């Protein structure tokens, strides 16, 4: 059995498995960007096949840069969705030598930071690349949803689709690694053309709303909005003009945070050393 990643190694197959002709995620992101008055320079972390970045670049008039670690995805983005700049970079340790008005982390990209150190490194890198008052906009799974909900863990789940005359079938199992605070996934793929079966293991950090607020504050961000729906992957999905709800109990979480201004150092109080002499 192969352990490659069928979808990220074959971006055309990825787009067939997860079609998004209406570019729902990109349109949701654009509405949030406009609501909070973000400037035109956008960094898309975990840009994947580049569909969302290209829509924001061409349809919304943004100047978009995308980063990802999957070279096959980046090659596809450059060929099929040109316009934005695309770079191979790790979301925890990137240095593009420029600043942006907003950073996007869609489709749970932020949750590939599995440890506290990973998460702080990513948020610190985002801070370095944001102009004063810049926005961090993220859409992800909600760790709080799994407190008492097991519906996504009742598996395995099977799905099939056809692409270029071949039927591809996946069997997916999710489970929680409580000690690591990760949602782990095992997915096996089989194809009707006789190619070897593939098995892929992946995981997402389970972040709780208050925990996320803490890490953002530590990294120098002010949370402007944190809610569960509607969004591009919520049920029902977001539609033009929908307003955010105030709860954080459903399976998706949507974040808007602003880079807080740096507080200038305060002069030492004359009595800061405990001396009470007048």
């Amino acid at each position: 059995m192969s352990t490659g990643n069928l979808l990220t190694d074959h971006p055309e197959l990825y787009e067939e498995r997860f079609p998004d002709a209406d570019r729902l995620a990109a349109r949701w992101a654009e509405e949030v960007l406009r609501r909070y008055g973000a400037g035109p320079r956008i960094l898309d972390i975990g840009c994947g096949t580049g569909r969302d970045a290209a829509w924001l670049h061409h349809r919304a008039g943004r100047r978009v840069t995308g980063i990802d670690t999957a070279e096959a995805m980046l090659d596809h983005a450059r060929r099929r969705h040109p316009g934005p700049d695309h770079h191979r970079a790790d979301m925890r340790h990137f240095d593009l030598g420029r600043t942006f008005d907003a950073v996007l982390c869609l489709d749970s990209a932020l949750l590939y930071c599995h440890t506290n150190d990973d998460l702080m490194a990513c948020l610190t890198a985002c801070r370095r690349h944001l102009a004063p008052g810049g926005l961090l906009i993220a859409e992800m799974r909600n760790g709080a949803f799994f407190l008492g909900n097991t519906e996504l863990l009742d598996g395995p789940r099977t799905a099939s689709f056809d692409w270029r005359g071949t039927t591809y079938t996946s069997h997916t199992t999710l489970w929680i690694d409580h000690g690591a605070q990760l949602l782990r996934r095992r997915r096996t793929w089989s194809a009707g053309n006789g190619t070897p079966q593939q098995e892929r293991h992946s995981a997402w950090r389970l972040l709780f709303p208050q925990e996320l607020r803490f890490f953002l504050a530590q990294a120098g961000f002010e949370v402007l909005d944190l809610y569960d729906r509607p969004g591009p992957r919520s049920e029902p999905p977001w539609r033009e003009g929908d307003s955010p709800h105030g709860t954080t109990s459903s399976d998706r979480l949507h974040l808007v945070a602003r880079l807080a201004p740096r507080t200038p150092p305060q002069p030492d109080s004359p009595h800061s050393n405990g001396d009470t002499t007048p």
Side-chain angles (χ1 to χ4, degrees):
M1 178 182 292
S2 169
T3 56
N5 191 333
L6 180 70
L7 295 183
T8 56
D9 290 346
H10 302 87
E12 297 89 351
L13 190 61
Y14 179 96
E15 291 191 340
E16 182 70 21
R17 174 64 182 86
F18 301 109
D20 185 16
D22 294 332
R23 300 295 184 265
L24 193 62
R27 291 193 291 112
W28 171 81
E30 173 60 19
E31 182 168 285
V32 176
L33 290 165
R34 285 190 280 108
R35 182 185 307 138
Y36 289 95
R41 300 168 301 169
I42 308 299
L43 173 61
D44 183 7
I45 293 180
C47 62
T49 65
R51 295 181 299 187
D52 296 329
W55 190 95
L56 289 165
H57 189 90
H58 295 293
R59 298 289 298 274
R62 305 282 177 179
R63 299 199 300 273
V64 185
T65 298
I67 65 172
D68 206 292
T69 58
E71 194 60 58
M73 289 286 208
L74 292 169
D75 288 343
H76 177 87
R78 295 181 186 112
R79 287 184 289 104
R80 298 292 299 273
H81 305 292
D85 291 330
H86 294 99
H87 302 271
R88 189 174 189 274
D90 189 314
M91 66 190 298
R92 300 164 299 178
H93 309 290
F94 61 93
D95 185 0
L96 302 177
R98 70 188 91 160
T99 58
F100 301 87
D101 300 305
V103 171
L104 299 179
C105 292
L106 303 177
D107 202 20
S108 294
L110 190 64
L111 303 187
Y112 286 104
C113 295
H114 289 173
T115 68
N116 293 346
D117 288 344
D118 286 346
L119 183 58
M120 283 303 299
C122 178
L123 293 177
T124 300
C126 289
R127 181 186 178 94
R128 286 198 310 266
H129 286 78
L130 279 171
L135 296 177
L136 172 61
I137 299 170
E139 181 272 333
M140 69 197 88
R141 291 182 180 273
N142 180 13
F145 172 77
F146 293 93
L147 296 175
N149 290 285
T150 63
E151 59 192 74
L152 296 181
L153 307 177
D154 299 333
R157 297 174 181 241
T158 300
S160 297
F161 69 100
D162 294 327
W163 185 62
R164 295 181 179 176
T166 297
T167 298
Y168 293 85
T169 301
S170 65
H171 302 277
T172 303
T173 302
L174 298 173
W175 72 97
I176 294 178
D177 181 339
H178 292 87
Q181 205 169 314
L182 295 175
L183 177 66
R184 295 193 180 275
R185 180 180 71 186
R186 179 177 62 250
R187 175 175 285 165
T188 58
W189 284 98
S190 58
N193 58 7
T195 57
Q197 192 175 64
Q198 288 194 12
E199 182 171 298
R200 170 69 173 171
H201 292 258
S202 54
W204 298 270
R205 172 70 179 267
L206 290 178
L207 286 171
F208 295 88
Q210 285 296 89
E211 182 184 22
L212 185 55
R213 288 180 182 274
F214 173 81
F215 279 110
L216 287 161
Q218 292 295 107
F221 287 90
E222 173 193 5
V223 175
L224 303 179
D225 223 341
L226 188 62
Y227 59 95
D228 54 4
R229 56 188 176 184
R233 287 186 174 270
S234 66
E235 289 295 337
W238 168 86
R239 297 176 301 178
E240 300 281 354
D242 280 350
S243 298
H245 296 180
T247 63
T248 54
S249 57
S250 298
D251 63 327
R252 307 301 293 189
L253 201 59
H254 306 88
L255 164 74
V256 184
R258 191 183 303 279
L259 184 62
R262 293 185 181 274
T263 303
Q266 299 297 313
D268 291 337
S269 164
H271 305 305
S272 62
N273 63 356
D275 184 0
T276 58
T277 303

